[in-house]
Amino acid sequence: MFKELFTTKRICRAGIIAALYVALTWSFGQLSVQGLLQIRPGEALTVLPLFYVEAIPALVVSCLLSNIISMYGVYDIALGPIATLIAAILTYGTGKLIREQAKPALHALRVAVGGFFPVIVNAIIVPVIIVFLYGDLCGYSTMTIAYWVNFGSLVATQSLWVYALGVPLYLAIRRCRRRGISVFLDGKKTQPTQDQTTIS
């Protein structure tokens, strides 16, 4: 079991996921870690736990590294990866509950529910860092209003990255896996089944 979880392919894939996330985040500098409008396209990778268990530690480590440049300092470095861990585990659980071999109609539900957790968990936790630890930086009348404004903003921006970029990524990986492209699979290359060729 332990060997199956830590194969060379899975370790390499985790490294690639982490490197991509960090590169996509750091390339936007402070725009990727500021409060209201976070330009963070790397969040599209948060759908990957639907396919790969190794995406969980990869996303946690890459979030920690990405948040080093955050204006919110140690709190973002600590709490950001915790939010990512919770979301990634829930997304992975969704992938186990709605299997990849499920009917095509269920794949829309699979990616919709799996993508929901990175959106909602970040939207709940990140405003805590911004508002309650650093005060009302934007001049709202109360900290409660500031929290909910930041919550709404993060729901919008996270949804953009997770769904607008994450869904095409999900579909591309699913297509590659159905075609038996070994780099996207965990075991040996397999021939696509009759059902898989019909729905491609």
Side-chain angles (χ1 to χ4, degrees), residues 44-82:
L45 301 173
T46 57
V47 302
L48 294 181
L50 289 169
F51 296 108
Y52 308 116
V53 66
E54 64 271 21
I56 298 174
L59 290 168
V60 172
V61 170
S62 59
C63 178
L64 188 151
L65 293 173
S66 297
N67 287 356
I68 288 173
I69 64 172
S70 172
M71 62 183 284
Y72 302 110
V74 67
Y75 296 108
D76 208 5
I77 293 170
L79 293 179
I82 291 172

Side-chain angles (χ1 to χ4, degrees), residues 2-149:
F2 187 81
K3 285 184 177 180
E4 289 177 2
L5 286 175
F6 294 95
T7 62
T8 303
K9 183 184 282 187
R10 281 182 164 166
I11 292 169
C12 290
R13 194 153 49 211
I16 291 168
I17 292 168
L20 280 172
Y21 186 101
V22 173
L24 286 168
T25 303
W26 280 4
S27 61
F28 287 93
Q30 285 300 315
L31 292 175
S32 65
V33 288
Q34 67 179 358
L36 282 175
L37 296 172
Q38 294 193 352
I39 301 178
R40 202 154 174 151
E43 288 295 305
L45 301 173
T46 57
V47 302
L48 294 181
L50 289 169
F51 296 108
Y52 308 116
V53 66
E54 64 271 21
I56 298 174
L59 290 168
V60 172
V61 170
S62 59
C63 178
L64 188 151
L65 293 173
S66 297
N67 287 356
I68 288 173
I69 64 172
S70 172
M71 62 183 284
Y72 302 110
V74 67
Y75 296 108
D76 208 5
I77 293 170
L79 293 179
I82 291 172
T84 299
L85 176 63
I86 294 167
I89 289 171
L90 292 170
T91 299
Y92 176 73
T94 302
K96 298 297 281 184
L97 186 65
I98 307 174
R99 296 279 184 173
E100 193 178 349
Q101 294 77 20
K103 293 180 179 178
L106 285 177
H107 279 276
L109 179 63
R110 187 175 192 249
V111 72
V113 175
F116 171 76
F117 296 113
V119 172
I120 198 65
V121 172
N122 277 285
I124 290 169
I125 293 178
V126 173
V128 173
I129 302 168
I130 297 170
V131 178
F132 292 113
L133 295 179
Y134 286 87
D136 182 5
L137 300 178
C138 297
Y140 298 105
S141 54
T142 67
M143 290 178 70
T144 304
I145 292 173
Y147 175 87
W148 288 111
V149 168

